[in-house]
């Protein structure tokens, strides 16, 4: 490998939402050295063309590496560090620990649901121990961890059907405090899940205050995304406001046929809340959600596809209605027999997805479930699908805006310093793709299909994906939230002018 890399004659999309420009990007070591036209004619002092790997990017977009802000990749980055489903989409950073579930800080041999969404590697009593494991595994993508409220409950409580006692909450706050000192991005909650549902808002607010003292963020899978969604949004925003932390609403959706169309109510509410506090949301580009099998999510109306089942692995990939017909039962009864397991729930409507995805406060997160046998296609296809379907086919936004929702906006909302934009001096996480060809190939029927049209991916300046394959070089790191970073901090909805270096 040479000292420097020149990506030449591409369409430079810088991740701020600004219009694309024809030009080049020069990488030197792990950083971006220069962005602009004609760079080979003005290489930095001491660098000659013989030191430079040159790639012709004619017809290709050069963008910041995509940031997957909503993942459950905590354990998979350690156990399958190639991270091919993500790398092959152009993703260079995954935010882990979403929906209240993180592997750290908790040690247990046989985790219970919903922790099982993360597999069974619960061996990390602290973020420090987790970051050592990330360093040893050397994943292909960067890892930025949130700490899960549900995980803290498992670590500090023996009965999750009630609120935490004062002592238990004190213990959770101390654990979280140490996680923040060790560099965690913030707190996530999954109040929708039974193991956290008994937690009153006050419990979460207390924890969010710890995060606030360290400049972190609060992301939440809200208590309801169905009939009670507006109350749940008020709870989430009041919690964040009282604690003084920025809020991220996870995978915003209006779930269930009786709620379809209600993004016409939820989005204006988010806009009005944004007048008083820092608020953002993530979204994945599909009408089906996916989580563990739960009979309360089976309404006999929406389609449900089984993504795994412990007692009935032979039913993986099949529709619940057809299984129920075969067994001569209701779908709910079939669900009970298939548990523990997972499913895709076709619980959203396309117009709601379109409204959320085109909203200026939304960024892209896959919410992919890497441990499912027959996973939701979002695991392998979310990012290319936003470009192919919502930019190129439907024209809901420009390519620059689509990229901004995957890079600059995401880095700003999650306090990821010196990433998410193509700026001289910033870290060289870079994706090069063909704007005409990029598309997702994963479907509900064939979910393990590699996306097309991603040409190259650089992680911390290292070419990690090239010509449809991973290279032998994995260069991801654990990203710590950095204190006092004002160069890329959250502020409103328009990009700040970038520092010139
Ligand atoms: Zn969730
Ligand atoms: Cu999630």
């Amino acid at each position: 490998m040479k000292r420097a890399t020149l990506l030449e004659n591409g369409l430079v999309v810088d991740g701020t939402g600004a219009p694309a420009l024809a030009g080049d990007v020069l990488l030197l070591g792990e950083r971006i050295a220069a962005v602009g036209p004609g760079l080979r004619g003005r290489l930095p002092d001491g660098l000659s063309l013989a030191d430079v790997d040159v790639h012709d990017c004619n017809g290709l977009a050069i963008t910041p590496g995509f940031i997957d802000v909503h993942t459950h990749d905590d354990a998979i980055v350690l156990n399958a560090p190639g991270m091919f489903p993500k790398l092959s989409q152009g993703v260079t950073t995954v935010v882990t620990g979403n929906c209240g579930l993180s592997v750290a800080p908790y040690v247990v041999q046989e985790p219970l649901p919903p922790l099982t969404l993360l597999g069974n590697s619960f061996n990390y009593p602290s973020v420090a121990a987790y970051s050592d494991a990330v360093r040893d595994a050397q994943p292909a993508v960067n890892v930025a961890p949130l700490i899960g409220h549900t995980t803290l409950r498992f670590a500090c409580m023996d009965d999750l059907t009630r609120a935490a006692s004062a002592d238990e909450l004190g213990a959770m706050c101390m654990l979280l405090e140490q996680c923040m000192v060790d560099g965690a991005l913030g707190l996530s909650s999954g109040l929708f899940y039974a193991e956290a549902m008994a937690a009153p808002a006050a419990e979460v607010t207390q924890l969010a205050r710890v995060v606030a003292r360290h400049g972190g963020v609060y992301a939440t899978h809200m208590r309801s995304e169905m009939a009670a969604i507006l109350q749940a949004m008020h709870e989430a925003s009041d919690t964040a406001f009282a604690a003084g932390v920025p809020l991220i609403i996870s995978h915003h959706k209006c779930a269930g046929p009786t709620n379809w169309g209600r993004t016409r109510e939820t989005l204006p509410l988010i806009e009005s809340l944004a007048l008083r506090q820092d608020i953002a949301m993530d979204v994945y580009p599909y009408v089906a959600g996916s989580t563990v099998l739960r009979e309360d999510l089976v309404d006999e109306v929406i389609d449900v596809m089984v993504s795994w089942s412990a007692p009935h692995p032979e039913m993986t990939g099949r529709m619940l209605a057809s299984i129920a017909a075969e067994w001569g039962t209701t779908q709910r009864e079939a669900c009970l027999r298939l548990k523990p397991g997972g499913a895709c729930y076709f619980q959203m409507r396309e117009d709601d997805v379109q409204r959320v995805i085109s909203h200026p406060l939304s960024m892209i997160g896959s919410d992919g479930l890497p441990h499912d046998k027959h996973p939701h296609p979002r695991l392998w296809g979310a990012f290319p699908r936003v470009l192919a379907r919502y930019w190129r086919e439907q024209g809901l936004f420009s390519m620059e805006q689509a990229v901004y929702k995957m890079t600059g906006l995401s880095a700003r909302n999650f306090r990821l310093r010196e990433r998410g934009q193509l700026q001289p001096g910033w870290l060289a996480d870079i994706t090069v793709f063909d704007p005409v060809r990029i598309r997702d190939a994963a479907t509900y029927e064939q979910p393990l299909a590699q996306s097309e049209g991603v040409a190259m991916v650089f992680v911390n300046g290292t070419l990690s994906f090239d010509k449809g394959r991973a290279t032998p070089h994995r260069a991801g790191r654990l990203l710590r939230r950095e204190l006092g970073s004002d160069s890329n901090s959250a502020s409103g909805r328009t990009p700040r002018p970038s520092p010139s270096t």
Side-chain angles (χ1 to χ4, degrees):
M1 253 190 307
K2 297 187 180 175
R3 283 172 59 206
T5 302
L6 181 61
L7 306 175
E8 216 173 26
N9 304 317
L11 192 60
V12 178
V13 181
D14 71 3
T16 66
L21 293 169
D24 313 335
V25 177
L26 178 69
L27 322 188
L28 195 53
E30 62 178 27
R31 292 189 182 261
I32 298 168
V35 180
L39 292 184
R40 74 158 60 204
R42 44 194 184 98
L43 293 174
D45 288 348
L47 194 70
S48 78
L49 212 51
D51 303 321
V52 183
D53 262 327
V54 180
H55 297 273
D56 180 19
C57 295
N58 188 23
L60 303 175
I62 307 171
T63 75
F66 302 155
I67 298 170
D68 189 348
V69 297
H70 191 115
T71 83
H72 298 286
D73 290 341
D74 302 48
I76 205 79
V77 295
L78 307 176
N79 302 334
M83 290 299 289
F84 196 69
K86 296 292 168 75
L87 193 63
S88 57
Q89 295 181 59
V91 170
T92 55
T93 294
V94 296
V95 175
T96 60
N98 277 282
C99 297
L101 314 170
S102 56
V103 293
Y106 186 43
V107 177
V108 69
Q109 287 310 311
E110 286 180 20
L112 297 170
L115 294 181
T116 45
L117 279 180
L118 304 182
N120 58 2
S121 309
F122 286 81
N123 306 317
Y124 311 100
S126 64
V127 165
Y130 180 68
S131 32
D132 286 349
V134 170
R135 190 198 52 218
D136 294 347
Q138 180 75 81
V141 298
N142 300 309
V143 182
L146 292 165
I147 301 305
H149 166 235
T150 300
T151 295
L152 294 172
R153 283 172 71 84
F154 270 103
C156 300
M157 298 174 66
D158 51 16
D159 175 5
L160 302 184
T161 64
R162 55 169 176 78
S165 70
D167 282 355
E168 289 163 341
L169 186 51
M172 288 158 70
C173 285
M174 268 176 59
L175 262 183
L176 181 58
E177 171 84 30
Q178 188 57 50
C179 291
M180 294 306 293
V181 169
D182 291 344
L185 294 189
L187 175 73
S188 81
S189 72
L191 299 171
F192 158 82
Y193 291 101
E195 293 69 18
M197 205 172 280
E203 178 180 314
V204 184
T205 305
Q206 209 45 39
L207 289 161
R209 286 203 174 100
V210 174
V211 167
R213 286 205 296 277
H214 292 274
V217 301
Y218 170 51
T220 180
H221 180 161
M222 300 185 298
R223 214 175 275 279
S224 174
E225 294 172 321
M226 303 179 104
I229 190 166
L230 295 182
Q231 293 93 303
M233 288 173 72
H234 280 293
E235 177 187 349
S237 59
D238 288 347
T239 296
F241 185 69
V245 280
L247 174 67
I248 291 135
I249 294 176
S250 294
H251 44 57
H252 183 45
K253 64 169 86 72
C254 288
T258 55
N259 291 295
W260 287 346
R262 291 189 67 203
T263 50
R264 286 198 193 84
E265 299 168 56
T266 60
L267 294 172
L269 175 57
I270 290 173
E271 285 160 25
S272 72
L273 291 166
L275 299 175
R276 77 162 180 174
Q277 69 195 102
D278 236 321
I279 183 165
M281 60 190 138
D282 60 73
V283 59
Y284 49 80
Y286 297 87
V287 293
S290 186
T291 185
V292 287
L293 267 171
R294 267 174 59 162
E295 60 279 14
D296 64 318
L297 299 178
V298 174
D299 63 359
E300 317 275 338
V301 177
I302 62 164
D303 286 334
V304 178
M305 193 190 76
V306 177
S307 56
W308 65 278
S309 164
H312 291 283
E314 75 281 6
M315 294 304 179
T316 302
R318 285 193 49 189
M319 302 306 288
L320 191 60
S322 112
I323 300 169
E326 194 173 302
W327 288 349
T329 64
T330 63
Q331 291 190 40
R332 223 166 262 192
E333 174 58 33
C335 171
L336 286 169
R337 287 197 211 168
L338 289 160
K339 275 170 67 168
C344 295
Y345 302 89
F346 291 78
Q347 58 187 175
M348 285 166 264
R349 202 171 65 187
E350 179 66 26
D351 61 312
D352 285 316
V353 174
Q354 290 174 356
R355 262 181 231 114
V356 175
I357 216 165
S358 57
H359 194 278
L361 294 180
S362 73
M363 54 196 161
I364 307 306
S366 71
D367 203 5
L369 299 175
H371 302 278
D372 285 11
K373 277 228 151 43
H374 187 96
H376 188 301
R378 64 197 184 184
L379 179 66
W380 284 78
F383 286 78
R385 183 174 168 91
V386 170
L387 289 161
R389 182 178 170 88
Y390 293 107
W391 162 56
R392 203 171 53 221
E393 287 168 24
Q394 299 189 7
L396 288 190
F397 32 63
S398 64
M399 178 172 68
E400 290 89 338
Q401 283 167 314
V403 169
Y404 175 56
K405 285 173 174 293
M406 303 173 175
T407 60
L409 181 62
S410 322
R412 218 180 53 227
N413 283 331
F414 279 90
R415 293 6 192 196
L416 299 175
R417 191 161 178 252
E418 298 182 333
R419 297 184 194 266
Q421 294 180 24
L422 299 179
Q423 297 290 348
W426 285 27
L427 287 148
D429 291 343
I430 293 177
T431 291
V432 180
F433 65 85
D434 181 339
V436 178
R437 282 188 50 237
I438 192 165
R439 72 170 193 101
D440 55 311
T443 61
Y444 295 99
E445 294 74 30
Q446 302 286 342
L448 307 182
Q450 181 179 344
S451 296
E452 295 167 15
V454 176
M456 281 180 278
V457 181
F458 294 84
V459 179
N460 295 307
T462 297
L463 180 59
S464 305
F465 178 91
D466 187 25
K467 300 183 186 75
R469 301 166 151 236
T471 72
H473 310 292
R474 305 199 304 257
R477 335 181 152 137
L478 189 105
L479 304 188
R480 289 183 175 77
R481 169 194 43 78
E482 289 188 51
L483 288 174
S485 67
D486 57 356
S487 61
N488 195 23
S489 64
S491 66
R493 73 177 60 164
T494 43
R496 246 186 221 185
S498 308
S500 50
T501 14

